[in-house]
Amino acid sequence: MKRKVAIQGAVGSFHDIAAHQFFPNDEIELVCCATFEEVFSALKNDSKTIALCAIENTIAGSLLHNYELLRESAMQVIGEFKLRISHCICCLPDEDWEDLTEVNSHPIALMQCREFLNRHPQLKVVEAEDTALSAELIHKNNLKGHAAICSQHAAQLNGMKVLESGIETNKHNFTRFLVIADPWQADDLQRQLQAVPNKASLVFSLPHAEGSLSQVLSILSFYHINLTKIQSLPIIGREWEYQFYVDVVFDNLLRYKQSITAITPLTKELKILGEYAESGK
């Protein structure tokens, strides 16, 4: 099956790798976007397009802006994928360590390789919009003295020499991606994926009153709903009020539905962002 998938980044990026691993048997037509805003625009412009969007990393934490983009988009989460992130440093094929003066990559990738970079103080660290694009631009423009931090896949795609791999500080480095689609396409896509929902992403706000959050959490606990993540973001223009983004896992769909019914009167603007199968990784 052919699928059009919008990602932030270039061919060879970790979004690209995650998309192909999530749809291992499908022919993927990538829609490469410079920003996450462009990713959601691609979804709005073509209801058949699916998006893969990073939402959190075990080292860098949550991508807070992406939560807001998801909520405002009215799109639906149909799945998730967790990818082990491993970085390498690469350069032009005819260069080596002694030729390098500068290293380029996405700021999060640079942060994840901080200890490695500290061991190479001679390299000027320059932020770029994407890991794979850094390698592509060095190769395309024959940028002497430049290195890129990216995936080994991106280095190979661009004919770069890998100087060292596994340079990330923490080897337990995973990124969680959400698979997002137009709500009108969501049910059909989940049937194609043969996915049995056991996880949900919710967003709601609460009255500025004592114990309002604890009441919601107590109800979820009563119904044996496992809370796997809670993230708060301030509501702009409403002092001391917050949006709560919550992920829950359940093994009984009826009990989950009952818990949603029970917490709805206690919340404001409750929205189910998606019900989907938890990633097995």
Side-chain angles (χ1 to χ4, degrees), residues 55-186:
I55 200 69
E56 64 177 316
N57 175 266
T58 51
I59 297 172
S62 297
L63 282 74
L64 301 180
H65 185 50
N66 289 355
Y67 279 104
E68 287 294 90
L69 290 173
L70 174 60
R71 181 182 62 83
E72 293 167 358
S73 71
M75 297 298 165
Q76 188 168 322
V77 182
I78 63 166
E80 69 171 8
F81 187 75
K82 296 170 187 173
L83 179 69
R84 165 77 164 87
I85 304 298
S86 183
H87 297 292
C88 74
I89 183 167
C90 60
C91 64
L92 292 171
D94 58 346
E95 294 199 312
D96 217 315
W97 283 109
E98 63 271 14
D99 304 304
L100 301 182
T101 59
E102 183 175 308
V103 59
N104 312 134
S105 195
H106 189 277
I108 290 180
L110 294 170
M111 183 194 74
Q112 292 172 352
C113 302
R114 183 57 54 198
E115 284 187 13
F116 169 83
L117 292 171
N118 288 342
R119 294 198 298 271
H120 297 275
Q122 78 280 11
L123 296 178
K124 178 184 177 184
V125 176
V126 178
E127 294 184 356
E129 69 179 48
D130 183 57
T131 54
L133 186 59
S134 298
E136 180 184 327
L137 291 176
I138 292 170
H139 172 74
K140 189 178 187 179
N141 299 311
N142 196 35
L143 297 178
K144 300 289 187 181
H146 286 241
I149 288 177
C150 60
S151 69
Q152 195 149 336
H153 177 56
Q156 292 167 348
L157 278 177
N158 290 287
M160 302 282 277
K161 178 199 284 187
V162 175
L163 295 171
E164 189 174 338
S165 58
I167 64 171
E168 63 279 2
T169 301
N170 190 323
K171 306 308 176 186
H172 298 282
N173 183 11
F174 286 83
T175 292
R176 176 175 168 242
F177 298 84
L178 297 180
V179 186
I180 303 165
D182 185 291
W184 291 100
Q185 307 293 331

Side-chain angles (χ1 to χ4, degrees), residues 204-223:
F204 53 82
S205 57
L206 292 169
H208 187 47
E210 184 178 344
S212 57
L213 179 59
S214 64
Q215 289 180 56
V216 170
L217 299 182
S218 295
I219 290 173
L220 293 175
S221 176
F222 174 80
Y223 283 97

Side-chain angles (χ1 to χ4, degrees), residues 233-254:
L233 284 177
I235 301 174
I236 305 301
R238 287 157 60 177
E239 294 82 2
W240 318 121
E241 290 194 48
Y242 296 85
Q243 296 276 8
F244 292 91
Y245 291 86
V246 172
D247 290 338
V248 297
V249 174
F250 50 89
D251 55 16
N252 184 299
L253 184 61
L254 175 60

